[in-house]
PDB file of all heavy atoms in Angstrom:
ATOM      1  N   SER A 306       4.769  26.867  56.056  1.00  0.00           N
ATOM      2  CA  SER A 306       4.336  27.965  56.921  1.00  0.00           C
ATOM      3  C   SER A 306       3.364  28.849  56.164  1.00  0.00           C
ATOM      4  O   SER A 306       3.137  28.664  54.954  1.00  0.00           O
ATOM      5  CB  SER A 306       5.577  28.825  57.284  1.00  0.00           C
ATOM      6  OG  SER A 306       6.134  29.413  56.167  1.00  0.00           O
ATOM      7  N   ASN A 307       2.695  29.730  56.900  1.00  0.00           N
ATOM      8  CA  ASN A 307       1.745  30.666  56.260  1.00  0.00           C
ATOM      9  C   ASN A 307       2.509  31.807  55.622  1.00  0.00           C
ATOM     10  O   ASN A 307       2.523  32.929  56.097  1.00  0.00           O
ATOM     11  CB  ASN A 307       0.757  31.144  57.350  1.00  0.00           C
ATOM     12  CG  ASN A 307      -0.126  30.075  57.866  1.00  0.00           C
ATOM     13  OD1 ASN A 307      -0.548  29.189  57.149  1.00  0.00           O
ATOM     14  ND2 ASN A 307      -0.329  30.109  59.198  1.00  0.00           N
ATOM     15  N   THR A 308       3.080  31.467  54.453  1.00  0.00           N
ATOM     16  CA  THR A 308       3.990  32.401  53.793  1.00  0.00           C
ATOM     17  C   THR A 308       3.684  32.430  52.290  1.00  0.00           C
ATOM     18  O   THR A 308       3.373  31.427  51.714  1.00  0.00           O
ATOM     19  CB  THR A 308       5.446  31.945  54.009  1.00  0.00           C
ATOM     20  OG1 THR A 308       5.680  31.829  55.425  1.00  0.00           O
ATOM     21  CG2 THR A 308       6.417  32.982  53.405  1.00  0.00           C
ATOM     22  N   LEU A 309       3.786  33.663  51.729  1.00  0.00           N
ATOM     23  CA  LEU A 309       3.701  33.799  50.269  1.00  0.00           C
ATOM     24  C   LEU A 309       5.080  33.476  49.678  1.00  0.00           C
ATOM     25  O   LEU A 309       6.083  34.148  50.012  1.00  0.00           O
ATOM     26  CB  LEU A 309       3.265  35.198  49.859  1.00  0.00           C
ATOM     27  CG  LEU A 309       1.951  35.743  50.369  1.00  0.00           C
ATOM     28  CD1 LEU A 309       1.633  37.078  49.701  1.00  0.00           C
ATOM     29  CD2 LEU A 309       0.838  34.733  50.072  1.00  0.00           C
ATOM     30  N   SER A 310       5.167  32.419  48.860  1.00  0.00           N
ATOM     31  CA  SER A 310       6.402  32.077  48.242  1.00  0.00           C
ATOM     32  C   SER A 310       6.861  33.095  47.184  1.00  0.00           C
ATOM     33  O   SER A 310       6.072  33.415  46.324  1.00  0.00           O
ATOM     34  CB  SER A 310       6.324  30.682  47.614  1.00  0.00           C
ATOM     35  OG  SER A 310       6.016  29.672  48.516  1.00  0.00           O
ATOM     36  N   PRO A 311       8.100  33.560  47.299  1.00  0.00           N
ATOM     37  CA  PRO A 311       8.530  34.552  46.298  1.00  0.00           C
ATOM     38  C   PRO A 311       8.874  34.010  44.903  1.00  0.00           C
ATOM     39  O   PRO A 311       8.833  34.708  43.913  1.00  0.00           O
ATOM     40  CB  PRO A 311       9.790  35.137  46.959  1.00  0.00           C
ATOM     41  CG  PRO A 311      10.337  34.017  47.778  1.00  0.00           C
ATOM     42  CD  PRO A 311       9.098  33.278  48.306  1.00  0.00           C
ATOM     43  N   SER A 312       9.220  32.667  44.889  1.00  0.00           N
ATOM     44  CA  SER A 312       9.584  32.093  43.560  1.00  0.00           C
ATOM     45  C   SER A 312       9.135  30.633  43.555  1.00  0.00           C
ATOM     46  O   SER A 312       9.004  30.005  44.618  1.00  0.00           O
ATOM     47  CB  SER A 312      11.066  32.230  43.270  1.00  0.00           C
ATOM     48  OG  SER A 312      11.825  31.468  44.191  1.00  0.00           O
ATOM     49  N   ALA A 313       8.921  30.130  42.328  1.00  0.00           N
ATOM     50  CA  ALA A 313       8.539  28.744  42.150  1.00  0.00           C
ATOM     51  C   ALA A 313       9.047  28.304  40.781  1.00  0.00           C
ATOM     52  O   ALA A 313       9.156  29.112  39.868  1.00  0.00           O
ATOM     53  CB  ALA A 313       7.059  28.492  42.335  1.00  0.00           C
ATOM     54  N   ARG A 314       9.358  27.019  40.616  1.00  0.00           N
ATOM     55  CA  ARG A 314       9.948  26.590  39.396  1.00  0.00           C
ATOM     56  C   ARG A 314       9.347  25.247  38.956  1.00  0.00           C
ATOM     57  O   ARG A 314       8.980  24.397  39.822  1.00  0.00           O
ATOM     58  CB  ARG A 314      11.473  26.400  39.627  1.00  0.00           C
ATOM     59  CG  ARG A 314      12.287  26.152  38.331  1.00  0.00           C
ATOM     60  CD  ARG A 314      13.736  26.283  38.607  1.00  0.00           C
ATOM     61  NE  ARG A 314      14.231  25.278  39.576  1.00  0.00           N
ATOM     62  CZ  ARG A 314      15.402  24.643  39.505  1.00  0.00           C
ATOM     63  NH1 ARG A 314      16.228  24.876  38.502  1.00  0.00           N
ATOM     64  NH2 ARG A 314      15.771  23.764  40.404  1.00  0.00           N
ATOM     65  N   ALA A 315       9.269  25.030  37.686  1.00  0.00           N
ATOM     66  CA  ALA A 315       8.731  23.781  37.113  1.00  0.00           C
ATOM     67  C   ALA A 315       9.652  23.345  35.938  1.00  0.00           C
ATOM     68  O   ALA A 315      10.187  24.189  35.217  1.00  0.00           O
ATOM     69  CB  ALA A 315       7.296  23.896  36.644  1.00  0.00           C
ATOM     70  N   LYS A 316       9.693  22.025  35.773  1.00  0.00           N
ATOM     71  CA  LYS A 316      10.332  21.505  34.556  1.00  0.00           C
ATOM     72  C   LYS A 316       9.267  21.130  33.582  1.00  0.00           C
ATOM     73  O   LYS A 316       8.464  20.233  33.841  1.00  0.00           O
ATOM     74  CB  LYS A 316      11.214  20.284  34.923  1.00  0.00           C
ATOM     75  CG  LYS A 316      12.112  19.800  33.703  1.00  0.00           C
ATOM     76  CD  LYS A 316      13.020  18.706  34.096  1.00  0.00           C
ATOM     77  CE  LYS A 316      14.030  19.083  35.136  1.00  0.00           C
ATOM     78  NZ  LYS A 316      15.015  20.089  34.668  1.00  0.00           N
ATOM     79  N   VAL A 317       9.304  21.827  32.439  1.00  0.00           N
ATOM     80  CA  VAL A 317       8.314  21.565  31.388  1.00  0.00           C
ATOM     81  C   VAL A 317       8.974  20.701  30.292  1.00  0.00           C
ATOM     82  O   VAL A 317      10.003  21.084  29.765  1.00  0.00           O
ATOM     83  CB  VAL A 317       7.812  22.901  30.783  1.00  0.00           C
ATOM     84  CG1 VAL A 317       6.811  22.637  29.622  1.00  0.00           C
ATOM     85  CG2 VAL A 317       7.188  23.786  31.843  1.00  0.00           C
ATOM     86  N   THR A 318       8.356  19.609  30.096  1.00  0.00           N
ATOM     87  CA  THR A 318       8.882  18.665  29.078  1.00  0.00           C
ATOM     88  C   THR A 318       7.888  18.549  27.906  1.00  0.00           C
ATOM     89  O   THR A 318       6.674  18.322  28.136  1.00  0.00           O
ATOM     90  CB  THR A 318       9.089  17.251  29.716  1.00  0.00           C
ATOM     91  OG1 THR A 318       9.986  17.343  30.762  1.00  0.00           O
ATOM     92  CG2 THR A 318       9.545  16.212  28.717  1.00  0.00           C
ATOM     93  N   ILE A 319       8.395  18.670  26.696  1.00  0.00           N
ATOM     94  CA  ILE A 319       7.558  18.532  25.515  1.00  0.00           C
ATOM     95  C   ILE A 319       8.125  17.404  24.631  1.00  0.00           C
ATOM     96  O   ILE A 319       9.308  17.456  24.240  1.00  0.00           O
ATOM     97  CB  ILE A 319       7.439  19.812  24.675  1.00  0.00           C
ATOM     98  CG1 ILE A 319       6.940  20.955  25.541  1.00  0.00           C
ATOM     99  CG2 ILE A 319       6.504  19.604  23.478  1.00  0.00           C
ATOM    100  CD1 ILE A 319       6.751  22.263  24.764  1.00  0.00           C
ATOM    101  N   ARG A 320       7.307  16.398  24.378  1.00  0.00           N
ATOM    102  CA  ARG A 320       7.647  15.413  23.358  1.00  0.00           C
ATOM    103  C   ARG A 320       7.207  15.974  22.045  1.00  0.00           C
ATOM    104  O   ARG A 320       6.028  16.357  21.851  1.00  0.00           O
ATOM    105  CB  ARG A 320       6.908  14.089  23.611  1.00  0.00           C
ATOM    106  CG  ARG A 320       7.317  13.406  24.918  1.00  0.00           C
ATOM    107  CD  ARG A 320       8.668  12.780  24.817  1.00  0.00           C
ATOM    108  NE  ARG A 320       9.108  12.236  26.110  1.00  0.00           N
ATOM    109  CZ  ARG A 320      10.204  11.491  26.272  1.00  0.00           C
ATOM    110  NH1 ARG A 320      10.958  11.175  25.250  1.00  0.00           N
ATOM    111  NH2 ARG A 320      10.510  11.046  27.472  1.00  0.00           N
ATOM    112  N   ILE A 321       8.163  16.173  21.083  1.00  0.00           N
ATOM    113  CA  ILE A 321       7.876  16.865  19.870  1.00  0.00           C
ATOM    114  C   ILE A 321       7.716  15.900  18.747  1.00  0.00           C
ATOM    115  O   ILE A 321       8.407  14.849  18.674  1.00  0.00           O
ATOM    116  CB  ILE A 321       8.936  17.940  19.510  1.00  0.00           C
ATOM    117  CG1 ILE A 321      10.350  17.354  19.528  1.00  0.00           C
ATOM    118  CG2 ILE A 321       8.876  19.060  20.564  1.00  0.00           C
ATOM    119  CD1 ILE A 321      11.408  18.339  19.193  1.00  0.00           C
TER     120      ILE A 321
END
Side-chain angles (χ1 to χ4, degrees):
S306 64
N307 294 321
T308 305
L309 301 186
S310 296
S312 65
R314 189 169 64 140
K316 189 176 296 293
V317 178
T318 299
I319 305 183
R320 297 287 175 170
I321 55 179

